[in-house]
Amino acid sequence: MTGATSQASLGAYGAALHARFLRGLAVAPRRAAVRGPGWSLSYEALHERALTWAGALLRAAGHRPAAIGVLAAKGPHAYAGVLAALYAGAAVVPLSTDFPAARTRHMLEAAGVSAVIADAAGRALLAGAPGPAPGIPVLAPDEVSAGSVPVDAAHALGEPLPADAGDTAYVLFTSGSTGRPKGVRISHGSTDHYFQVLDARYDFGPEDVFSQTFDLNFDCAMFDLFCAWGAGATVQQLPAAAFRDIPAFAAEAGLTVWFSTPSAISLVRRTAGLGAGALPGLRWSIFAGEALKCADAADWQRAAPTSTVENLYGPTELTITICGYEWSPETSEGLAVHGIVPIGAVHKGHDHLLVDADCEPVSGEGELLITGPQMTAGYLDPADDQGRFVTHDGRTWYRTGDRVREVADGVLAYVDRLDAQVQVQGWRVEPAEIDQALCACAGVEEAVTVAVPAAGGDLELVAFYTGRPTPASRLARALRGALPERLIPRRYTHLAAFPLNANRKIDRGALRARAAGPPGRTEPAAVPARVPRPAPRGQ
């Protein structure tokens, strides 16, 4: 299959996620499919690389693998790896080279990964993972060494393998309250419905250039890749240095579609990048992963006056995003709740319910439940399904855990979370996972983590613990062996005992008030500050 891919050939791939890349290949074979600092891959080149790698993986495995991991820093290897896994008929399991080795090992085992595409950083992480060697074949694109999967163009696939709508397209992991990440399976049928909704909503075309701000182990990265590739457009990887001057980078790269978490707005504002008309080339400005403030939407709209600004909402379990709302300077603030832009209407083909604490339907305001073709069939571990999926009127519904309010006909607005889950720079964080990791640190008896507003409007994680007083830097170092960087609290406070409420339960409200109080009441960890990297995960 080449750039001359026919519509008839495309039809053979039906709902398969990689059919969208084949569409782009047919429309713009020599256009850049994806590019980054100092490199670029055309649709033809990326297609041929993915076919070669897929052939090598299939030959090494001796069968069609159920899941292929992609453990590479964001760059040409990672993007080609995502496509190669799909071409091999496998589920893609994007992994982060920034995660601890033990966490990565758990994800590989939980997802049933039978082969990995890894760059040098990924291979080092695999080598350092504790426990018995996984015995998983590793394709190392930048190195030929003993034990690595040989890559030979002679064994390249002639064309990608097809996939059925019910097959898993990708597996992503979210923070889990049990102390381990939860694996979410998303099918080709779910992504097919999702991108059909987006095709009807947006006018993306071959001349568009998409910002790619998200790490590939976050589902909003799939929006960037497959919206762009389905239109024959270009995906532009943003290096961290680009955030020092987004207007200059956007102009040089020719960006027309921006997609990030709202945290990026504060970052661009701090670098004086939100001046009136500073982003004239943008046609679409899309935000997801955190609550979008009206003030931030208004500032971005002034900077990108010819751009349509949209707020998208959705947990991983509902395939990337499930609601969308177009910002209007004239009417949106009147519909906002607590100064937050509405999340809009639920996607066509889905039903939603608002329920009370007893899971009984209510009108006006309540917890949001959704069912429809974008809903996952369940977690990798069925035990994780409990409490998140309920049956009503003979159908299964996903409980988002978000309280929403209907502010206009079919238009929903986010109010708050009903549990302890929080969003930190787009990450969906279960504080209980951090608490369990802290309790495993020497001298810590009990731990409670809370999130409070920090400078710039982001949330900051603050940990309280009992047991033996321990330097904050030591606790932070210990947590790095168990948690991703963004889940590591920046401040720690030792308490002789936790405050209790009237029900004799730990008073989290009192802890949040203390964490948000004057400086000096909690001890900061001696860790370097990180430049926020926009990375989504449902509001």
Side-chain angles (χ1 to χ4, degrees):
M1 184 176 292
T2 67
T5 305
S6 68
Q7 292 302 316
S9 298
L10 286 174
Y13 289 91
L17 180 56
H18 46 292
R20 296 192 63 82
F21 182 87
L22 299 178
R23 270 175 46 179
L25 175 67
V27 169
R30 293 176 179 80
R31 184 174 178 80
V34 60
R35 67 192 185 200
W39 62 272
S40 178
L41 288 171
S42 69
Y43 277 86
E44 283 185 334
L46 186 54
H47 176 65
E48 295 302 325
R49 184 173 296 187
L51 286 173
T52 299
W53 291 4
L57 290 165
L58 286 167
R59 193 162 185 264
H63 57 85
R64 180 169 173 161
I68 293 175
V70 178
L71 184 56
K74 203 159 56 171
H77 296 335
Y79 295 108
V82 167
L83 196 59
L86 292 171
Y87 277 14
V92 185
V93 185
L95 301 163
S96 174
T97 55
D98 292 334
F99 279 10
R103 191 182 186 90
T104 299
R105 174 62 59 83
H106 166 78
M107 293 176 177
L108 290 169
E109 293 174 349
V113 167
S114 52
V116 175
I117 299 169
D119 62 7
R123 294 194 301 277
L125 191 65
L126 288 174
I136 298 175
V138 176
L139 189 153
D142 54 356
E143 179 183 89
V144 178
S145 61
S148 64
V149 173
V151 177
D152 185 347
H155 301 295
L157 293 183
E159 59 185 22
L161 296 186
D164 293 332
D167 292 343
T168 301
Y170 61 79
V171 176
L172 296 177
F173 287 84
T174 69
S175 177
S177 59
T178 60
R180 54 174 175 74
K182 298 186 297 185
V184 183
R185 298 171 291 153
I186 299 298
S187 72
H188 287 274
S190 291
T191 59
D192 182 51
H193 185 279
Y194 179 68
F195 287 109
Q196 285 189 45
V197 169
L198 299 190
D199 285 345
R201 187 180 185 91
Y202 301 112
D203 62 348
F204 303 141
E207 300 306 314
D208 278 313
V209 178
F210 285 64
S211 69
Q212 214 284 291
T213 65
F214 300 105
D215 289 343
L216 295 183
N217 60 320
F218 288 91
D219 55 359
C220 283
M222 301 300 147
F223 177 108
D224 297 333
L225 297 184
F226 292 98
C227 274
W229 289 347
T234 297
V235 175
Q236 172 69 57
Q237 178 198 344
L238 262 73
F243 284 91
R244 297 171 187 162
D245 191 345
I246 285 295
F249 183 88
E252 182 179 356
L255 295 183
T256 60
V257 181
W258 176 271
F259 189 26
S260 74
T261 60
S263 295
I265 300 177
S266 298
L267 182 58
V268 176
R269 182 186 291 114
R270 292 197 295 271
T271 57
L274 287 185
L279 297 164
L282 295 182
R283 300 195 312 113
W284 291 95
S285 297
I286 303 167
F287 299 93
E290 300 166 319
L292 175 63
K293 299 175 184 176
C294 290
D296 286 344
D299 283 353
W300 191 276
Q301 182 76 86
R302 282 191 290 271
T306 61
S307 172
T308 300
V309 176
E310 292 221 327
N311 183 34
L312 305 187
Y313 160 91
T316 298
E317 292 84 349
L318 292 172
T319 309
I320 309 177
T321 60
I322 194 66
C323 296
Y325 178 83
E326 181 179 324
W327 163 260
S328 166
E330 292 75 31
T331 61
S332 294
E333 291 198 46
L335 298 176
V337 175
H338 306 317
I340 302 300
V341 177
I343 59 175
V346 173
H347 285 176
K348 181 180 179 180
H350 295 78
D351 289 327
H352 73 278
L353 285 174
L354 302 184
V355 300
D356 61 18
D358 297 320
C359 218
E360 293 296 325
V362 295
S363 61
E365 181 174 317
E367 181 184 0
L368 177 62
L369 275 61
I370 295 179
T371 191
Q374 287 180 216
M375 185 178 70
T376 179
Y379 298 107
L380 291 176
D381 183 350
D384 290 327
D385 292 350
Q386 186 175 3
R388 276 300 172 204
F389 296 91
V390 296
T391 301
H392 178 77
D393 289 341
R395 291 187 291 173
T396 300
W397 301 72
Y398 176 73
R399 300 186 63 169
T400 66
D402 291 326
R403 187 195 310 276
V404 303
R405 181 182 303 168
E406 187 167 0
V407 293
D409 186 21
V411 177
L412 303 176
Y414 174 82
V415 178
D416 60 22
R417 282 293 300 178
L418 294 170
D419 55 23
Q421 189 183 98
V422 295
Q423 294 290 330
V424 178
Q425 294 180 24
W427 279 66
R428 194 172 81 183
V429 176
E430 294 277 5
E433 181 176 1
I434 304 170
D435 298 344
Q436 290 202 23
L438 268 171
C439 287
C441 296
V444 176
E445 294 178 357
E446 291 185 278
V448 174
T449 306
V450 298
V452 296
D458 297 333
L459 288 179
E460 178 180 53
L461 294 171
V462 180
F464 294 87
Y465 69 98
T466 62
R468 186 175 67 241
T470 306
S473 58
R474 185 179 302 169
L475 293 173
R477 282 197 303 272
L479 291 180
R480 280 199 181 84
L483 300 172
E485 187 71 23
R486 291 189 186 90
L487 269 65
I488 297 176
R490 296 302 174 189
R491 291 186 284 149
Y492 301 79
T493 294
H494 173 263
L495 299 175
F498 287 118
L500 303 178
N501 59 24
N503 295 321
R504 307 304 295 168
K505 296 181 179 180
I506 294 176
D507 192 337
R508 292 177 179 271
L511 293 177
R512 279 192 290 270
R514 175 164 179 164
R521 301 181 71 182
T522 56
E523 181 187 353
V527 294
R530 288 170 59 94
V531 174
R533 288 191 298 168
R537 188 40 285 120
Q539 273 170 172

